[in-house]
Amino acid sequence: MKHRVMMAALLAIIASPVCAAKLSGPPRIVDGNMIEIEQTKIRLSGIDAPETDQICLDAHGQKWACGVAARDELIKHSNGRTWDCHTTGVDEYGRSLGSCFIAGEDVSAWMVSSGWALSSGRYTHTYVIYEVVASNAYAGLWSGAFIAPWDWRHRNKGTIIIGASSVPTEAQELLLGSALLSDPPSPECLIKGTVGRKGERIYHLPEQLGYGQIDMTKKLDDRWLCSEAEAEATGWRKSAR
């Protein structure tokens, strides 16, 4: 009986309006694969874009803020136009998962084909053909070397660095060295996100006490965040002091 009740509750959640809905409007773009329409946070399904704190290497082996660039390119492409989104579920952070279109154009397909995101999925990769197109054109992230977004979040000294042509010999140190986190990827990304011993994710604003004493080079799990909206949408909570 208990099992049936649990199954019924699960089916109710899956069928609820929160999981399946249609939304339209000009979005607020938080990062390369997350937007907000009418206070509903939507993560684009089938793709993964670099985090806003992510650093990549360009064709000359120089570091650049590819995560911020991916977000800005999506903002530029959107250009204030109306998006039509269809959500089909929620993720671990309570964000709606969905597909979005601008005048009939699949936004996820555009992001991958332009080289600003990768095809992603547990079982299928819907946009992998667009990824091949971007790689062959050395577009966006593929212009140099980078870490796949899902690996960037849990990177360590063994993380694989990829690229369309070649990966510089010093890429490991440039993209995985502790010095990488010492400065924000962009002047606008000044919020410090720190992970505690029990895994709690706390963000600290520049005006808060103790902000200056936080050393961002100690743990690779710590990250720079560009806005409170981004922080809260990805499971961080504000420091109480």
Side-chain angles (χ1 to χ4, degrees):
M1 179 67 180
K2 184 177 179 181
H3 177 70
R4 290 183 180 179
V5 172
M6 290 177 65
M7 287 298 295
L10 178 61
L11 289 173
I13 292 173
I14 294 174
S16 72
V18 172
C19 294
K22 290 183 179 180
L23 296 167
S24 294
R28 182 164 68 92
I29 296 171
V30 179
D31 63 24
N33 56 210
M34 185 173 69
I35 66 165
E36 187 174 344
I37 296 178
E38 298 176 358
Q39 298 184 324
T40 297
K41 295 179 177 65
I42 303 172
R43 190 189 190 286
L44 298 177
S45 298
I47 69 170
D48 203 351
E51 300 287 350
T52 51
D53 69 330
Q54 186 162 343
I55 300 297
C56 298
L57 301 179
D58 64 18
H60 304 290
Q62 299 298 307
K63 292 185 290 186
W64 64 294
C66 55
V68 170
R71 181 204 61 190
D72 290 348
E73 288 298 323
L74 182 55
I75 291 174
K76 187 188 302 182
H77 183 68
S78 177
N79 195 29
R81 292 181 291 174
T82 293
W83 289 33
D84 298 307
C85 300
H86 176 67
T87 63
T88 55
V90 294
D91 68 5
E92 60 184 309
Y93 300 120
R95 300 173 299 188
S96 296
L97 296 170
S99 299
C100 295
F101 301 83
I102 303 175
E105 175 190 56
D106 187 336
V107 176
S108 294
W110 181 85
M111 284 293 288
V112 178
S113 64
S114 300
W116 298 116
L118 300 184
S119 179
S120 172
R122 181 173 296 180
Y123 304 111
T124 60
H125 282 262
T126 306
Y127 301 101
V128 68
I129 186 62
Y130 298 101
E131 191 173 301
V132 173
V133 170
S135 175
N136 289 338
Y138 304 107
L141 307 177
W142 297 101
S143 62
F146 63 98
I147 296 172
W150 49 85
D151 287 333
W152 174 267
R153 300 183 191 104
H154 308 287
R155 62 194 183 280
N156 55 53
K157 294 299 182 180
T159 298
I160 296 174
I161 298 173
I162 58 179
S165 53
S166 62
V167 176
T169 55
E170 67 273 22
Q172 286 280 342
E173 178 58 30
L174 291 171
L175 294 180
L176 296 170
S178 60
L180 180 70
L181 293 173
S182 61
D183 298 308
S186 167
E188 68 179 271
C189 303
L190 299 177
I191 299 174
K192 294 180 177 180
T194 60
V195 180
R197 293 180 180 178
K198 296 182 179 180
E200 65 271 23
R201 294 152 65 92
I202 310 296
Y203 71 87
H204 313 260
L205 301 176
E207 61 268 23
Q208 291 184 294
L209 293 174
Y211 174 89
Q213 282 68 55
I214 299 173
D215 184 353
M216 294 295 284
T217 67
K218 287 186 175 180
K219 301 191 299 292
L220 286 175
D221 285 340
D222 292 349
R223 60 166 297 194
W224 293 95
L225 298 154
C226 299
S227 69
E228 290 192 76
E230 176 193 3
E232 292 169 1
T234 49
W236 302 80
R237 65 177 178 84
K238 186 177 180 179
S239 171
R241 54 187 177 83

